[in-house]
Amino acid sequence: MNNSAMSTVELDVNGKRKAVVVRHADTLLDVLRVKLGLTGAKPGCGNGDCGACAVLVDDEPMHSCHMLAVEAAGKRVTTIEGLQGTALQQAFVDHWAVQCGYCTSGMIVASHGLLLRHPNPDEATVNEWLSSNLCRCTGYEEIKQAVLSVARSVGQAGGTTP
Amino acid sequence: MIPFDFEYCKPATVGEALKTFRDLQAAGKRVCYYGGGTEFISLARLGSVTTAAVIDLKGIPECLTLSENDQHVLIGAAASLTQIAEYRAYPLLSDHCRRIADHTSRNRITIGGNLAGVIEYREAVLPLLVSDAQVVVARGEGMETVSIHDIFKGTLLIGAGEFIIQLLVPRSEANLPYVSLKKTRHSKVDYPLVSIAASKKDGRIRLAVSGVCRYPFRYPPLEDEVNAANRSPLERAERAAARLPEPAVNDAFGSRDYRLFLLRHAIADTIRQLEGA
Ligand SMILES: Cc1cc2nc3c(=O)[nH]c(=O)nc-3n(C[C@H](O)[C@H](O)[C@H](O)COP(=O)(O)OP(=O)(O)OC[C@H]3O[C@@H](n4cnc5c(N)ncnc54)[C@H](O)[C@@H]3O)c2cc1C
Ligand code: FES
Ligand code: FES
């Protein structure tokens, strides 16, 4: 379907192809949550300030509240639902990097993007990337330690999967 | 949710973008160019901006380029701030873009959007003012190249239907000694109280400022004070900070006195770094 206000777009979300009818005015966040039932990306500020809505688009973190769904056509979208069972998810549990959990999906998604790009990041790089994600519960330290622990174990194993 | 509908167009050429704009406008529609879309989506959600169509510039190869030719470093207007931060052909621009917003936002924000948007800081323009960059503008049926000083006077002066295609930085300006500096209220990620981009060429410091007045500027009387002979860096900085194009902003983010205090010290630090004092 294509008219001046809507189109059918082919989205690749967590490795699955979906044909979705979207309003051009729909943000990627709206479409993931409302049309695809993927509620892991959270609505927070809606303004690019908090990072709760982060997803990976072609492996780069993006605020899905600040991107139109129609722009994601032909790109690979990874949400927190696509990162189940990863070492990073377990590290967040092990390091008590979760309290209320509202920021957690955005934190894990952004950290996953970071480790894909920088498998062995220094602390400054972790700080720079995670400055996009606000947490009102933890002190950030546990989150940073969780990310660095995975970086270290990936580095030791010589692997590439965070 | 954005409370109104619009057409979404993604032209592949400059000519197609200009024609799409003209055709939609002739049909009585309000049209908006679209870079990273971050400002558009925030304002549209609030109903502060409405449009019947957006024209996404990210399908035009010239708008995405990051390259060099004999004379210039070419920066596509739809390149993201992250891409520019990583493309280090003009390190002052790379470093200054890296201080704008946060990492994930920089993956979306484009340099064209930063220059053309309503948020007044427009920090990416500072290195362009300092390097006397040229701007390639889509205009009429084609493109024109104009000096940044003619097209940017606090805000971008382009007509309806026109858009920025590229920024051209002279190669002779791209690898000079430079300073990129930003002071915020408290966190690293914030709008600037003072943002400075400066370089030094033929013994003279060139310097542009954002955050202090209501718009970014490079102002010759201020620059003359920065370069005055036989005075200490702090004396020169104090005299320079007294030569603003308009009074400093005084608001809840920073009082006028505080902004001027930061500006004086930021200019003095810039002079010391560039003169190796
Ligand atoms: C979280 C966050 C933090 C920020 N922090 C800073 C900061 O520290 N410093 C700072 O300077 N700014 C900051 N900004 C502001 C940001 O740089 C501007 O809002 C900018 O407009 C966003 O760029 P965009 O590409 O997303 O713009 P868009 O939303 O795509 O467009 C904004 C406007 O520019 C026009 N436009 C876009 N591209 C072009 C073009 N090539 N030619 C002509 N017109 C064009 C559009 O028509 C529209 O009117 C921040 C923004 C966010 C979301
Ligand atoms: S909801 Fe997207 S950044 Fe806050
Ligand atoms: S755990 Fe509650 S906001 Fe981060």
Side-chain angles (χ1 to χ4, degrees):
Chain A
M1 173 192 188
N2 273 310
N3 66 32
S4 62
M6 300 177 106
S7 296
T8 304
V9 293
E10 281 267 335
L11 298 179
D12 173 340
V13 184
N14 300 326
K16 296 192 180 117
R17 295 203 152 269
K18 315 257 182 191
V20 196
V21 178
V22 301
R23 288 169 65 231
H24 299 143
D26 285 338
T27 62
L28 181 58
L29 178 65
D30 294 336
V31 168
L32 290 171
R33 290 179 60 84
V34 179
K35 301 229 160 121
L36 298 178
L38 296 169
T39 54
K42 301 291 180 222
C45 62
N47 265 336
D49 290 322
C50 74
C53 66
V55 301
L56 300 181
V57 177
D58 287 345
D59 289 341
E60 298 291 344
M62 300 286 169
H63 294 135
S64 60
C65 71
H66 255 173
M67 176 169 181
L68 299 175
V70 67
E71 291 181 81
K75 299 190 191 296
R76 272 181 305 112
V77 178
T78 308
T79 70
I80 188 69
E81 287 87 349
L83 298 179
Q84 290 179 50
T86 54
L88 205 48
Q89 182 189 32
Q90 188 58 46
F92 269 62
V93 176
D94 295 344
H95 286 81
W96 295 89
V98 181
Q99 288 188 26
C100 82
Y102 203 79
C103 70
T104 309
S105 47
M107 286 285 184
I108 293 181
V109 164
S111 306
H112 190 83
L114 162 68
L115 294 176
L116 288 175
R117 261 301 196 96
H118 302 280
N120 212 353
D122 56 20
E123 232 176 287
T125 309
V126 177
N127 287 342
E128 183 184 356
W129 280 56
L130 293 190
S131 68
S132 302
N133 296 71
L134 300 182
C135 175
R136 297 292 82 170
C137 300
T138 73
Y140 294 104
E141 191 54 31
E142 300 86 346
I143 295 171
K144 201 162 55 182
Q145 291 312 322
V147 175
L148 287 170
S149 75
V150 177
R152 279 192 293 270
S153 62
V154 169
Q156 277 160 15
T160 52
T161 316
Chain B
M1 190 181 113
I2 297 177
F4 57 89
D5 284 318
F6 51 79
E7 255 174 82
Y8 173 81
C9 313
K10 194 170 179 187
T13 64
V14 170
E16 197 190 326
L18 289 168
K19 182 174 178 329
T20 305
F21 192 100
R22 277 196 307 272
D23 291 350
L24 288 164
Q25 210 179 35
K29 295 184 175 170
R30 190 192 287 241
V31 196
C32 178
Y33 287 117
Y34 183 96
T38 63
E39 187 171 291
F40 169 77
I41 291 174
S42 283
L43 296 179
R45 209 168 45 82
L46 298 172
S48 311
V49 73
T50 56
T51 189
V54 303
I55 301 179
D56 188 345
L57 300 173
K58 297 193 293 295
I60 303 172
E62 291 89 334
C63 291
L64 296 172
T65 189
L66 291 170
S67 56
E68 288 174 71
N69 63 23
D70 286 352
Q71 289 171 356
H72 293 109
V73 176
L74 282 62
I75 311 285
S80 73
L81 298 186
T82 298
Q83 289 167 333
I84 296 169
E86 289 172 358
Y87 178 70
R88 297 202 53 87
Y90 180 26
L92 171 55
L93 182 65
S94 301
D95 284 358
H96 220 63
C97 285
R98 200 169 167 188
R99 292 170 195 270
I100 296 172
D102 60 273
H103 185 269
T104 301
S105 294
R106 289 196 292 274
N107 288 344
R108 288 288 300 169
I109 296 173
T110 63
I111 190 166
N114 182 266
L115 265 54
V118 294
I119 295 180
E120 68 267 27
Y121 303 103
R122 305 183 186 102
E123 288 180 81
V125 81
L126 303 184
L128 303 173
L129 292 171
V130 160
S131 61
D132 300 323
Q134 302 276 308
V135 183
V136 184
V137 187
R139 182 170 274 174
E141 305 268 323
M143 34 184 122
E144 262 178 47
T145 301
V146 291
S147 161
I148 185 82
H149 301 296
D150 294 331
I151 201 168
F152 190 91
K153 294 180 191 285
T155 59
L156 193 68
L157 306 172
I158 54 173
E162 300 176 353
F163 64 91
I164 312 173
I165 303 171
Q166 280 169 7
L167 294 320
L168 309 182
V169 177
R171 287 183 66 146
S172 56
E173 301 284 332
N175 282 297
L176 300 170
Y178 69 92
V179 170
S180 161
L181 187 153
K182 178 168 176 172
K183 308 266 183 207
T184 61
R185 204 158 41 135
H186 36 74
S187 87
K188 264 191 190 156
V189 178
D190 202 350
Y191 295 125
L193 291 175
V194 174
S195 176
I196 288 183
S199 69
K200 188 174 168 197
K201 189 177 186 191
D202 302 331
R204 190 173 165 86
I205 294 173
R206 292 92 55 83
L207 171 144
V209 180
S210 177
V212 177
C213 297
R214 289 170 304 166
Y215 51 83
F217 60 84
R218 178 177 170 197
Y219 188 52
L222 182 152
E223 218 169 80
D224 288 344
E225 295 294 352
V226 168
N227 286 289
N230 303 324
R231 290 201 179 94
S232 74
L234 194 54
E235 277 176 308
R236 283 146 67 185
E238 278 169 357
R239 294 169 71 99
R243 298 303 301 268
L244 297 176
E246 65 161 35
V249 172
N250 187 25
D251 64 16
F253 294 101
S255 67
R256 177 165 299 144
D257 285 351
Y258 186 51
R259 281 173 206 264
L260 290 175
F261 168 83
L262 290 178
L263 177 64
R264 284 194 292 274
H265 286 279
I267 294 178
D269 283 349
T270 301
I271 296 171
R272 286 188 201 104
Q273 281 185 50
L274 288 175
E275 294 185 349

